Amino acid sequence: MQKKLISDVQEYYFYYKNNKSIVPCLDDKSNEKAKLMLNNIYNNYKDNIPKRFISQWDKVKLYDPNGNIDSAHAIILDIDQGAYDIKNSLNYLTGKEWTKFTCSWFVFNALQKDLKEEQEICENCVDHPATYSPTMIEDFILFFTKEGMKVIDPFAGIGSTLVACKRTNRIGYGTELNKKYYDIILKRVPEFYKNIYNADARNIKELYNDEQFNFCISSPPYWDVLNRSTDGFKKTREGNGLDVKYSDLSNDLGNIADYDQFVGELTKIYLDIFDKLVKGAYIVIIVKNIKKGGKLYPLAWDLAKSLSNKYVLKDEKIWIQDKIQLSPYGYPYSWASNILHHYCIILKKEV
Ligand SMILES: C[S@@+](CC[C@H](N)C(=O)[O-])C[C@H]1O[C@@H](n2cnc3c(N)ncnc32)[C@H](O)[C@@H]1O
């Protein structure tokens, strides 16, 4: 397929939208003016422009969808990628990339590429029973931060969030209670070793006394769900000598059997993190509603509610896994679903 690079046409510096197509403005005066405006943009805004634009600045064009050069504040390099607004204060995404991420759901299954990468560094990565993919987390980090910003994961596991930080040039921080998983993190992202603690997330305020973070993304233990697993997952993992729970430690949140106590302790950790975030920062918590004793405990919703006293609850984004085999739960007597979706709860520190 032919790439729609506009950069090859050197004499045009101003582009606009005409019938859904991005086209050059043919007026000489406008192009002269756009050239000067691009110079000004470079001089005054280069710290707020993605590196991919800066490194090819001679090919960057000025863009305004309505063709109004006086109010133009976007730049474009590649029509397929879309235009970047130089006033973008949240991230380095173009309008097109931004809009794509705002869909309220997405389908994501573990990627072979990620699994292979972690295996190459650390064979015992598979020991951890519940990880997410760095590739999936990259998309969140790209939306909620700019390069060089600080991202924290209080339940770092084997470091998937930190790997995503490394791939996207963000600075990763995190706590992980289990020493075995913590050691895996250090192998995967040695560059962040000073920022990562083998510690209880309840101590985050003391551990990061002098730090402030731009974003927090994590997936906490889903209550004590692993302790109760009796299905094929447990049998297969036990058969292969792999962990079926995070630890036996009494301060492991996954070992709290009482639901209200679990929600209370988790809430407290995320409220402590509130104090460590810069104003305007977002926090994403990836969690499921959980079944116990034939009853649904709406963990995602309860957590969202308990945190919205301090954070502003902004949204949910639903993560769907569509490659997991269904089990005949409940058959032939009662309703019981296969829960194959997670909630990515999105909250913001507004004050
Ligand atoms: C769902 S896993 C996170 C996995 C991680 N997202 C990854 O992809 O590697 C939850 C993690 O929280 C850790 N954990 C449990 N209680 C903790 C606590 N009090 N402080 C810090 N970490 C804790 C567990 O050991 C486990 O690794």
Side-chain angles (χ1 to χ4, degrees), residues 291 327 329 335-339:
K291 282 185 211 157
S327 297
Y329 297 135
W335 162 258
S337 68
N338 280 267
I339 301 183

Side-chain angles (χ1 to χ4, degrees), residues 107-111 319-326 340-341:
V107 178
F108 193 96
N109 298 290
L111 290 183
W319 164 26
I320 296 162
Q321 292 172 293
D322 68 352
K323 296 263 184 298
I324 295 178
Q325 202 179 346
L326 299 179
L340 302 183
H341 66 284

Side-chain angles (χ1 to χ4, degrees), residues 113-130:
K113 152 179 116 72
D114 281 332
L115 299 174
K116 194 166 164 251
E117 187 188 34
E118 64 183 46
Q119 286 284 303
E120 275 167 10
I121 298 171
C122 224
E123 265 181 22
N124 66 335
C125 275
V126 283
D127 251 1
H128 195 291

Side-chain angles (χ1 to χ4, degrees), residues 128 130-132 153-160 175-178 181 199-202 219-221 246 251-254:
H128 195 291
T131 61
Y132 52 41
D153 181 345
F155 302 102
I158 58 166
S160 312
T175 51
E176 168 53 48
L177 190 66
N178 184 324
Y181 305 150
D200 190 332
R202 292 173 182 90
S219 180
Y246 303 128
N251 50 352
D252 181 334
L253 287 175

Side-chain angles (χ1 to χ4, degrees), residues 75-269:
I75 51 177
I76 193 160
L77 188 57
D78 173 345
I79 289 172
D80 287 335
Q81 260 179 6
Y84 175 76
D85 192 321
I86 55 166
K87 294 182 179 171
N88 185 337
S89 60
L90 182 61
N91 57 39
Y92 279 156
L93 300 184
T94 65
K96 203 168 176 178
E97 293 160 339
W98 175 300
T99 307
K100 190 170 170 214
F101 186 79
T102 56
C103 182
S104 63
W105 59 271
F106 63 99
V107 178
F108 193 96
N109 298 290
L111 290 183
Q112 280 311 316
K113 152 179 116 72
D114 281 332
L115 299 174
K116 194 166 164 251
E117 187 188 34
E118 64 183 46
Q119 286 284 303
E120 275 167 10
I121 298 171
C122 224
E123 265 181 22
N124 66 335
C125 275
V126 283
D127 251 1
H128 195 291
T131 61
Y132 52 41
S133 157
T135 301
M136 185 179 101
I137 299 307
E138 269 178 63
D139 286 346
F140 283 89
I141 290 177
L142 288 171
F143 192 91
F144 289 107
T145 60
K146 292 177 182 254
E147 277 187 43
M149 285 188 170
K150 297 179 178 178
V151 178
I152 182 161
D153 181 345
F155 302 102
I158 58 166
S160 312
T161 300
L162 293 134
V163 172
C165 286
K166 176 178 172 169
R167 289 185 191 166
T168 54
N169 292 324
R170 272 66 171 174
I171 308 169
Y173 293 77
T175 51
E176 168 53 48
L177 190 66
N178 184 324
K179 174 79 166 64
K180 180 167 66 174
Y181 305 150
Y182 165 80
D183 287 340
I184 295 177
I185 302 179
L186 295 189
K187 280 195 189 150
R188 296 178 84 192
V189 284
E191 56 273 71
F192 297 143
Y193 84 96
K194 278 191 186 152
N195 307 342
I196 302 157
Y197 292 96
N198 175 211
D200 190 332
R202 292 173 182 90
N203 300 323
I204 271 183
K205 274 172 105 166
E206 296 81 60
L207 293 169
Y208 298 107
N209 194 22
D210 298 329
E211 292 290 355
Q212 283 226 295
F213 303 107
N214 303 96
F215 181 49
C216 172
I217 183 161
S218 61
S219 180
Y222 289 6
W223 188 16
D224 63 345
V225 75
L226 290 176
N227 290 356
R228 293 181 283 111
S229 167
T230 51
D231 57 13
F233 167 82
K234 189 173 180 183
K235 284 190 197 114
T236 314
R237 288 188 65 86
E238 276 176 343
N240 291 323
L242 302 172
D243 294 350
V244 289
K245 59 186 293 195
Y246 303 128
S247 74
D248 289 320
L249 299 168
S250 59
N251 50 352
D252 181 334
L253 287 175
N255 291 329
I256 302 177
D258 181 80
Y259 180 71
D260 291 333
Q261 187 193 346
F262 173 76
V263 175
E265 302 227 4
L266 196 54
T267 300
K268 207 166 163 300
I269 291 170

Side-chain angles (χ1 to χ4, degrees), residues 252-314:
D252 181 334
L253 287 175
N255 291 329
I256 302 177
D258 181 80
Y259 180 71
D260 291 333
Q261 187 193 346
F262 173 76
V263 175
E265 302 227 4
L266 196 54
T267 300
K268 207 166 163 300
I269 291 170
Y270 286 121
L271 290 182
D272 279 352
I273 289 173
F274 181 94
D275 295 335
K276 303 298 322 162
L277 295 173
V278 300
K279 190 177 164 198
Y282 288 86
I283 163 165
V284 172
I285 305 171
I286 301 179
V287 77
K288 258 182 181 177
N289 290 335
I290 301 290
K291 282 185 211 157
K292 189 173 188 173
K295 187 177 146 191
L296 185 75
Y297 289 76
L299 173 58
W301 306 337
D302 285 342
L303 191 60
K305 186 145 195 290
S306 68
L307 290 174
S308 40
N309 287 332
K310 221 163 171 185
Y311 291 97
V312 176
L313 175 60
K314 285 292 181 184

